[in-house]
Amino acid sequence: IEIISINSQISNSKYEFLEGNITDKKLAEFATKDVDCVVHLAANTGVQSSIIDPIKDLEENVIGTFNYLNASVKNSVNKFVFASSGAPIGNTLPPIHERVPTNPLSPYG
């Protein structure tokens, strides 16, 4: 695996930033070693692109997330923070919370 560290661009030595592809299982295992928390912000965010190429959207958003969840379990990561959007909920009135039934309007959602 090719791992590009961009630490030289930040001033806080507590964090290491890696650049790679979320679908790379080996990178996921490497990135989750010896860490306390994974903050997962990676995603293909285009609704239109999810309609045009739903397989790519699935690979990046579902399989990619699975890679990091699986690697986090394998490496005993204490916390996993997943940032989502309102897309899985679809059109609904607030308040939006985890128990609102999903009603996605696109493959992205």
Side-chain angles (χ1 to χ4, degrees):
I1 54 178
E2 180 182 352
I3 299 168
I4 302 167
S5 178
I6 58 174
N7 268 8
S8 61
Q9 298 174 13
I10 61 172
S11 61
N12 190 332
S13 63
K14 288 184 177 183
Y15 304 98
E16 182 175 1
F17 290 86
L18 303 173
E19 182 177 327
N21 191 311
I22 191 170
T23 62
D24 184 336
K25 289 181 196 178
K26 289 181 182 178
L27 178 60
E29 290 182 13
F30 176 82
T32 56
K33 276 193 190 231
D34 302 319
V35 300
D36 295 320
C37 180
V38 170
V39 179
H40 172 30
L41 304 172
N44 173 19
T45 60
V47 172
Q48 192 62 31
S49 62
S50 77
I51 294 167
I52 293 168
D53 192 351
I55 299 296
K56 181 180 179 196
D57 193 74
L58 174 78
E59 288 171 349
E60 292 174 354
N61 292 345
V62 179
I63 302 302
T65 298
F66 175 79
N67 287 342
Y68 277 81
L69 286 167
N70 194 43
S72 293
V73 170
K74 181 177 181 178
N75 287 318
S76 301
V77 174
N78 293 322
K79 292 183 183 180
F80 191 97
V81 178
F82 174 68
S84 186
S85 70
I89 303 299
N91 292 335
T92 191
L93 297 173
I96 297 173
H97 50 79
E98 289 84 2
R99 292 183 301 273
V100 172
T102 59
N103 188 23
L105 303 175
S106 68
Y108 170 72

